[in-house]
Amino acid sequence: MSSEFNELLSESLGNQAQVWIVGTREQVNHIISEMYVKEMITDRRQFSPLVPVPFAPGKFMSVLLR
């Protein structure tokens, strides 16, 4: 991993727990929606915006900060 990830995330991570989802755009969106429907999260905006993954071409990621 590199410092690029710190630049991609807009918030300081500090000691917050994180859930990272990495996959195709459709997979990531589906998992976020599934977590919302199952009431694991209260709002989809708890996840960071989708960003391309620097180490895997064609893959995207989103991070849930709790």
Side-chain angles (χ1 to χ4, degrees):
M1 304 273 171
S2 67
S3 62
E4 292 178 41
F5 285 109
N6 291 334
E7 294 170 12
L8 293 173
L9 299 172
S10 59
E11 298 181 31
S12 173
L13 298 177
N15 291 327
Q16 297 176 343
Q18 307 164 34
V19 176
W20 290 48
I21 301 174
V22 178
T24 65
R25 182 181 296 272
E26 294 79 20
Q27 289 170 328
V28 174
N29 280 324
H30 178 77
I31 292 170
I32 292 171
S33 295
E34 186 176 19
M35 291 178 78
Y36 177 73
V37 168
K38 291 183 178 182
E39 298 180 355
M40 296 172 69
I41 58 172
T42 57
D43 192 344
R44 290 179 177 95
R45 290 181 292 175
Q46 292 175 276
F47 280 92
S48 68
L50 285 176
V51 293
V53 178
F55 59 83
K59 300 290 183 176
F60 293 83
M61 65 179 273
S62 184
V63 178
L64 169 66
L65 300 175
R66 307 266 338 230

Coordinates of all heavy atoms in Angstrom, one line a residue:
M1 N 0.8 -1.2 0.0 CA 0.0 0.0 0.0 C 0.9 1.2 0.0 O 2.0 1.2 0.4 CB -0.9 0.0 1.2 CG -1.7 -1.2 1.4 SD -3.3 -1.0 0.5 CE -3.9 -2.6 0.7
S2 N 0.3 2.3 -0.4 CA 1.1 3.5 -0.5 C 0.4 4.7 0.1 O -0.8 4.6 0.5 CB 1.4 3.8 -2.0 OG 0.2 4.2 -2.7
S3 N 1.0 5.8 0.1 CA 0.4 7.0 0.6 C -0.8 7.5 -0.2 O -1.5 8.4 0.2 CB 1.4 8.1 0.8 OG 2.0 8.5 -0.4
E4 N -0.9 7.0 -1.4 CA -2.0 7.4 -2.3 C -3.4 7.2 -1.6 O -4.3 7.9 -1.8 CB -2.0 6.6 -3.6 CG -0.8 6.9 -4.5 CD -0.8 6.1 -5.7 OE1 -1.9 5.8 -6.3 OE2 0.3 5.6 -6.1
F5 N -3.5 6.1 -0.8 CA -4.8 5.8 -0.1 C -5.1 7.0 0.8 O -6.3 7.4 0.9 CB -4.7 4.5 0.6 CG -4.8 3.3 -0.3 CD1 -3.7 2.5 -0.5 CD2 -6.0 3.0 -1.0 CE1 -3.8 1.5 -1.4 CE2 -6.1 2.0 -1.9 CZ -5.0 1.2 -2.1
N6 N -4.2 7.5 1.5 CA -4.4 8.6 2.5 C -4.9 9.8 1.7 O -5.8 10.5 2.2 CB -3.2 8.9 3.3 CG -2.8 7.8 4.3 OD1 -3.7 7.0 4.7 ND2 -1.6 7.7 4.6
E7 N -4.4 10.0 0.5 CA -4.8 11.2 -0.3 C -6.2 11.0 -0.8 O -7.0 11.9 -1.0 CB -3.8 11.4 -1.4 CG -2.5 11.8 -0.9 CD -1.4 11.8 -2.0 OE1 -1.8 11.8 -3.2 OE2 -0.2 11.9 -1.7
L8 N -6.6 9.7 -1.1 CA -7.9 9.4 -1.7 C -9.0 9.6 -0.6 O -10.2 9.9 -1.0 CB -8.0 8.0 -2.2 CG -7.1 7.8 -3.5 CD1 -7.1 6.3 -3.8 CD2 -7.6 8.6 -4.6
L9 N -8.7 9.4 0.6 CA -9.7 9.5 1.7 C -9.7 10.9 2.2 O -8.7 11.4 2.6 CB -9.4 8.5 2.8 CG -9.4 7.0 2.4 CD1 -8.9 6.1 3.5 CD2 -10.8 6.6 2.0
S10 N -10.9 11.5 2.2 CA -11.0 12.9 2.6 C -10.9 13.2 4.1 O -10.6 14.3 4.5 CB -12.3 13.5 2.0 OG -13.4 12.8 2.6
E11 N -11.2 12.2 4.9 CA -11.2 12.4 6.3 C -10.0 11.7 6.9 O -9.5 10.7 6.5 CB -12.4 11.8 7.0 CG -13.7 12.4 6.5 CD -14.9 11.7 7.1 OE1 -14.8 11.3 8.3 OE2 -16.0 11.7 6.5
S12 N -9.5 12.3 8.0 CA -8.4 11.7 8.8 C -9.0 10.4 9.4 O -10.0 10.4 10.1 CB -7.9 12.6 9.9 OG -7.0 12.0 10.7
L13 N -8.3 9.3 9.3 CA -8.8 8.0 9.8 C -8.7 7.9 11.3 O -9.5 7.2 12.0 CB -8.1 6.9 9.1 CG -8.4 6.8 7.6 CD1 -7.6 5.7 7.0 CD2 -9.8 6.7 7.3
G14 N -7.6 8.4 11.9 CA -7.4 8.3 13.3 C -7.6 6.9 13.8 O -7.0 6.0 13.3
N15 N -8.4 6.7 14.9 CA -8.6 5.4 15.5 C -9.9 4.8 15.1 O -10.4 3.9 15.8 CB -8.5 5.6 17.0 CG -7.1 5.9 17.5 OD1 -6.1 5.4 16.8 ND2 -6.9 6.6 18.5
Q16 N -10.6 5.3 14.1 CA -11.9 4.8 13.7 C -11.7 3.4 13.0 O -10.8 3.2 12.2 CB -12.6 5.8 12.7 CG -12.9 7.1 13.3 CD -13.5 8.0 12.2 OE1 -13.4 7.8 11.0 NE2 -14.1 9.1 12.7
A17 N -12.7 2.6 13.3 CA -12.7 1.3 12.6 C -13.1 1.5 11.1 O -13.9 2.5 10.8 CB -13.7 0.3 13.3
Q18 N -12.7 0.7 10.2 CA -13.0 0.8 8.8 C -13.4 -0.5 8.2 O -13.0 -1.5 8.6 CB -11.7 1.3 8.1 CG -11.0 2.5 8.6 CD -9.6 2.6 8.1 OE1 -9.4 2.2 6.9 NE2 -8.7 3.0 8.9
V19 N -14.3 -0.4 7.2 CA -14.7 -1.5 6.4 C -14.4 -1.1 5.0 O -15.0 -0.1 4.5 CB -16.2 -1.8 6.6 CG1 -16.7 -2.9 5.6 CG2 -16.6 -2.2 8.0
W20 N -13.6 -1.8 4.3 CA -13.2 -1.5 2.9 C -13.9 -2.5 2.0 O -13.9 -3.7 2.2 CB -11.7 -1.7 2.7 CG -10.8 -0.7 3.4 CD1 -10.9 -0.3 4.7 CD2 -9.8 0.0 2.8 NE1 -10.0 0.7 5.0 CE2 -9.2 0.9 3.8 CE3 -9.2 0.0 1.6 CZ2 -8.2 1.7 3.6 CZ3 -8.1 0.9 1.4 CH2 -7.6 1.7 2.4
I21 N -14.5 -2.0 0.9 CA -15.1 -2.8 -0.1 C -14.4 -2.6 -1.4 O -14.3 -1.5 -1.8 CB -16.6 -2.5 -0.2 CG1 -17.4 -2.7 1.1 CG2 -17.2 -3.4 -1.3 CD1 -18.8 -2.2 1.0
V22 N -13.9 -3.7 -2.0 CA -13.1 -3.6 -3.2 C -13.7 -4.5 -4.2 O -14.0 -5.7 -3.9 CB -11.6 -3.9 -3.0 CG1 -10.9 -3.8 -4.3 CG2 -11.0 -3.0 -2.0
G23 N -14.0 -4.1 -5.4 CA -14.6 -4.9 -6.4 C -15.0 -4.1 -7.6 O -14.6 -2.9 -7.8
T24 N -15.8 -4.6 -8.5 CA -16.2 -3.9 -9.7 C -17.2 -2.8 -9.1 O -17.7 -2.9 -8.0 CB -17.0 -4.7 -10.7 OG1 -18.2 -5.3 -10.1 CG2 -16.1 -5.8 -11.2
R25 N -17.5 -1.8 -10.0 CA -18.4 -0.7 -9.5 C -19.8 -1.3 -9.1 O -20.3 -1.0 -8.1 CB -18.6 0.2 -10.7 CG -19.5 1.4 -10.4 CD -19.7 2.3 -11.6 NE -18.5 3.0 -12.0 CZ -18.0 4.1 -11.5 NH1 -18.7 4.7 -10.6 NH2 -16.9 4.6 -11.9
E26 N -20.3 -2.3 -9.9 CA -21.5 -2.9 -9.6 C -21.5 -3.7 -8.3 O -22.4 -3.7 -7.5 CB -22.0 -3.8 -10.7 CG -22.3 -3.1 -12.0 CD -21.0 -2.7 -12.8 OE1 -20.0 -3.3 -12.6 OE2 -21.1 -1.8 -13.6
Q27 N -20.4 -4.4 -8.0 CA -20.3 -5.2 -6.8 C -20.3 -4.3 -5.6 O -20.9 -4.6 -4.6 CB -19.0 -6.1 -6.8 CG -19.0 -7.2 -7.8 CD -17.6 -7.8 -7.9 OE1 -16.6 -7.2 -7.8 NE2 -17.6 -9.1 -8.2
V28 N -19.5 -3.2 -5.6 CA -19.4 -2.3 -4.5 C -20.7 -1.7 -4.2 O -21.2 -1.6 -3.1 CB -18.3 -1.3 -4.7 CG1 -18.3 -0.2 -3.6 CG2 -16.9 -1.9 -4.9
N29 N -21.4 -1.2 -5.3 CA -22.7 -0.6 -5.1 C -23.7 -1.6 -4.5 O -24.5 -1.2 -3.6 CB -23.2 0.0 -6.4 CG -22.6 1.4 -6.7 OD1 -22.4 2.2 -5.8 ND2 -22.4 1.6 -7.9
H30 N -23.7 -2.8 -5.0 CA -24.6 -3.8 -4.5 C -24.4 -4.1 -3.0 O -25.3 -4.2 -2.2 CB -24.4 -5.1 -5.3 CG -25.3 -6.2 -4.8 ND1 -26.7 -6.3 -5.1 CD2 -25.0 -7.3 -4.0 CE1 -27.2 -7.3 -4.5 NE2 -26.2 -8.0 -3.9
I31 N -23.1 -4.2 -2.6 CA -22.8 -4.5 -1.2 C -23.2 -3.4 -0.3 O -23.8 -3.6 0.8 CB -21.3 -4.9 -1.0 CG1 -21.0 -6.2 -1.7 CG2 -21.0 -4.9 0.5 CD1 -19.6 -6.5 -1.7
I32 N -23.0 -2.1 -0.7 CA -23.4 -1.0 0.0 C -25.0 -1.0 0.2 O -25.5 -0.8 1.3 CB -23.0 0.3 -0.6 CG1 -21.4 0.4 -0.5 CG2 -23.6 1.6 0.0 CD1 -20.8 1.6 -1.3
S33 N -25.7 -1.2 -0.9 CA -27.1 -1.3 -0.9 C -27.6 -2.4 0.0 O -28.6 -2.3 0.8 CB -27.7 -1.5 -2.3 OG -27.4 -0.4 -3.1
E34 N -27.0 -3.6 0.0 CA -27.3 -4.7 0.8 C -27.1 -4.4 2.3 O -28.0 -4.7 3.1 CB -26.5 -5.9 0.4 CG -26.9 -7.2 1.1 CD -26.1 -8.4 0.6 OE1 -25.0 -8.2 0.0 OE2 -26.5 -9.5 0.8
M35 N -26.1 -3.7 2.6 CA -25.8 -3.3 4.0 C -26.9 -2.3 4.5 O -27.3 -2.4 5.6 CB -24.4 -2.7 4.2 CG -23.3 -3.8 4.0 SD -21.7 -3.1 4.1 CE -21.5 -2.9 5.9
Y36 N -27.4 -1.5 3.6 CA -28.4 -0.5 3.9 C -29.7 -1.3 4.2 O -30.4 -1.0 5.2 CB -28.6 0.5 2.9 CG -29.7 1.5 3.1 CD1 -29.5 2.5 4.1 CD2 -30.8 1.5 2.4 CE1 -30.5 3.4 4.3 CE2 -31.9 2.4 2.6 CZ -31.7 3.3 3.6 OH -32.7 4.2 3.8
V37 N -30.1 -2.2 3.3 CA -31.4 -2.9 3.4 C -31.4 -3.8 4.6 O -32.4 -3.9 5.3 CB -31.6 -3.8 2.1 CG1 -32.7 -4.8 2.3 CG2 -31.9 -2.9 0.9
K38 N -30.2 -4.4 5.0 CA -30.2 -5.2 6.2 C -29.9 -4.4 7.5 O -29.7 -4.9 8.5 CB -29.0 -6.2 6.0 CG -29.3 -7.2 5.0 CD -28.2 -8.3 4.9 CE -28.6 -9.3 3.8 NZ -27.6 -10.4 3.8
E39 N -30.0 -3.0 7.3 CA -29.9 -2.1 8.4 C -28.6 -2.2 9.2 O -28.5 -2.0 10.4 CB -31.1 -2.2 9.3 CG -32.4 -1.9 8.7 CD -33.6 -2.0 9.6 OE1 -33.4 -2.4 10.7 OE2 -34.7 -1.7 9.1
M40 N -27.5 -2.6 8.4 CA -26.2 -2.6 9.0 C -25.6 -1.1 9.1 O -24.7 -0.8 9.9 CB -25.2 -3.5 8.2 CG -25.7 -4.9 8.3 SD -24.7 -6.0 7.2 CE -23.1 -6.0 8.0
I41 N -26.1 -0.3 8.1 CA -25.8 1.1 8.1 C -27.1 1.9 8.0 O -28.1 1.4 7.6 CB -24.9 1.5 6.9 CG1 -25.5 1.1 5.6 CG2 -23.5 0.8 7.0 CD1 -24.8 1.6 4.4
T42 N -27.1 3.1 8.5 CA -28.3 3.9 8.5 C -28.4 4.8 7.3 O -29.5 5.3 7.0 CB -28.4 4.8 9.8 OG1 -27.2 5.6 9.8 CG2 -28.5 3.9 11.0
D43 N -27.3 5.1 6.6 CA -27.3 6.0 5.4 C -26.1 5.6 4.5 O -25.0 5.3 5.0 CB -27.1 7.4 5.9 CG -27.4 8.4 4.8 OD1 -27.4 8.1 3.6 OD2 -27.6 9.6 5.2
R44 N -26.4 5.5 3.2 CA -25.4 5.2 2.3 C -24.2 6.2 2.3 O -23.1 5.9 1.8 CB -25.9 5.0 0.9 CG -26.8 3.8 0.7 CD -27.4 3.8 -0.7 NE -28.2 2.6 -0.9 CZ -29.5 2.5 -0.7 NH1 -30.2 3.6 -0.4 NH2 -30.2 1.4 -0.9
R45 N -24.5 7.4 2.7 CA -23.5 8.4 2.7 C -22.4 8.2 3.8 O -21.4 8.9 3.9 CB -24.1 9.8 3.0 CG -24.9 10.3 1.8 CD -25.5 11.6 2.0 NE -26.6 11.5 3.0 CZ -27.2 12.5 3.5 NH1 -27.0 13.7 3.1 NH2 -28.2 12.3 4.4
Q46 N -22.6 7.1 4.6 CA -21.5 6.8 5.6 C -20.3 6.2 4.9 O -19.2 6.2 5.4 CB -22.1 5.7 6.6 CG -23.1 6.3 7.5 CD -23.7 5.2 8.4 OE1 -24.6 4.5 8.0 NE2 -23.1 5.1 9.6
F47 N -20.5 5.8 3.6 CA -19.4 5.3 2.8 C -18.7 6.5 2.0 O -19.4 7.4 1.6 CB -19.8 4.3 1.8 CG -20.0 2.9 2.4 CD1 -21.2 2.5 2.9 CD2 -18.9 2.0 2.4 CE1 -21.4 1.2 3.4 CE2 -19.1 0.7 3.0 CZ -20.3 0.4 3.5
S48 N -17.4 6.3 1.8 CA -16.7 7.3 1.0 C -17.2 7.1 -0.5 O -17.7 6.1 -0.8 CB -15.2 7.1 1.0 OG -14.9 5.9 0.4
P49 N -17.0 8.1 -1.3 CA -17.4 8.0 -2.7 C -16.5 6.9 -3.4 O -15.4 6.6 -2.9 CB -17.0 9.3 -3.4 CG -16.9 10.3 -2.2 CD -16.6 9.5 -1.0
L50 N -17.0 6.3 -4.4 CA -16.3 5.2 -5.1 C -15.0 5.9 -5.8 O -15.1 6.9 -6.4 CB -17.1 4.6 -6.2 CG -18.2 3.6 -5.8 CD1 -19.0 3.2 -7.0 CD2 -17.6 2.4 -5.1
V51 N -13.9 5.2 -5.6 CA -12.7 5.7 -6.2 C -12.0 4.5 -6.9 O -12.1 3.3 -6.4 CB -11.7 6.3 -5.2 CG1 -12.2 7.6 -4.7 CG2 -11.3 5.4 -4.1
P52 N -11.3 4.7 -8.0 CA -10.5 3.6 -8.6 C -9.4 3.1 -7.7 O -8.8 3.8 -7.0 CB -9.9 4.2 -9.8 CG -10.7 5.5 -10.1 CD -11.2 5.9 -8.7
V53 N -9.2 1.8 -7.7 CA -8.2 1.2 -6.9 C -6.9 1.2 -7.6 O -6.8 0.7 -8.7 CB -8.5 -0.3 -6.5 CG1 -7.5 -1.0 -5.7 CG2 -9.9 -0.4 -5.8
P54 N -5.9 1.9 -7.1 CA -4.6 2.0 -7.8 C -3.9 0.7 -8.1 O -3.2 0.6 -9.1 CB -3.7 2.9 -6.9 CG -4.6 3.3 -5.8 CD -5.9 2.5 -5.8
F55 N -4.1 -0.3 -7.2 CA -3.3 -1.6 -7.4 C -4.1 -2.6 -8.2 O -3.6 -3.7 -8.5 CB -3.0 -2.2 -6.0 CG -4.1 -2.5 -5.1 CD1 -4.9 -3.6 -5.3 CD2 -4.5 -1.6 -4.2 CE1 -5.9 -3.9 -4.4 CE2 -5.6 -1.8 -3.3 CZ -6.3 -3.0 -3.5
A56 N -5.3 -2.3 -8.6 CA -6.1 -3.3 -9.4 C -6.9 -2.6 -10.5 O -8.0 -2.0 -10.2 CB -7.1 -4.1 -8.5
P57 N -6.4 -2.6 -11.7 CA -7.1 -1.9 -12.8 C -8.6 -2.5 -13.0 O -8.8 -3.7 -12.9 CB -6.3 -2.2 -14.0 CG -4.9 -2.6 -13.5 CD -5.2 -3.2 -12.1
G58 N -9.5 -1.5 -13.2 CA -10.9 -1.9 -13.4 C -11.7 -2.2 -12.1 O -12.9 -2.5 -12.1
K59 N -11.0 -2.0 -10.9 CA -11.7 -2.2 -9.7 C -11.9 -0.9 -9.0 O -11.1 0.1 -9.2 CB -10.8 -3.1 -8.7 CG -10.6 -4.5 -9.3 CD -11.9 -5.3 -9.3 CE -11.5 -6.7 -9.8 NZ -12.6 -7.6 -9.8
F60 N -12.9 -0.8 -8.1 CA -13.2 0.4 -7.4 C -13.3 0.0 -5.9 O -13.4 -1.1 -5.5 CB -14.5 0.9 -7.8 CG -14.5 1.5 -9.2 CD1 -14.6 0.6 -10.3 CD2 -14.3 2.8 -9.5 CE1 -14.6 1.1 -11.6 CE2 -14.2 3.3 -10.8 CZ -14.4 2.4 -11.8
M61 N -13.2 1.1 -5.0 CA -13.3 0.8 -3.6 C -14.1 1.9 -2.9 O -14.3 3.0 -3.5 CB -11.9 0.7 -3.0 CG -11.1 2.0 -3.0 SD -9.6 1.9 -2.2 CE -10.0 2.3 -0.6
S62 N -14.7 1.6 -1.8 CA -15.4 2.5 -0.9 C -15.0 2.1 0.5 O -14.8 0.9 0.8 CB -16.9 2.5 -1.2 OG -17.5 3.5 -0.4
V63 N -15.0 3.1 1.4 CA -14.6 2.8 2.8 C -15.7 3.3 3.7 O -16.2 4.4 3.5 CB -13.3 3.5 3.1 CG1 -12.9 3.3 4.6 CG2 -12.2 3.1 2.2
L64 N -16.1 2.5 4.6 CA -17.1 2.8 5.7 C -16.3 3.2 6.9 O -15.5 2.3 7.4 CB -18.1 1.7 5.9 CG -19.0 1.8 7.2 CD1 -19.9 3.0 7.0 CD2 -19.7 0.5 7.5
L65 N -16.5 4.4 7.4 CA -15.8 4.8 8.7 C -16.9 4.7 9.8 O -17.9 5.3 9.7 CB -15.2 6.2 8.6 CG -14.2 6.4 7.5 CD1 -13.8 7.8 7.4 CD2 -13.0 5.5 7.7
R66 N -16.6 4.0 10.8 CA -17.5 3.9 11.9 C -17.0 4.6 13.2 O -15.9 4.7 13.4 CB -17.7 2.4 12.3 CG -18.1 1.5 11.1 CD -19.5 1.2 10.8 NE -20.5 1.3 11.8 CZ -21.3 0.4 12.1 NH1 -21.3 -0.7 11.5 NH2 -22.3 0.6 13.0

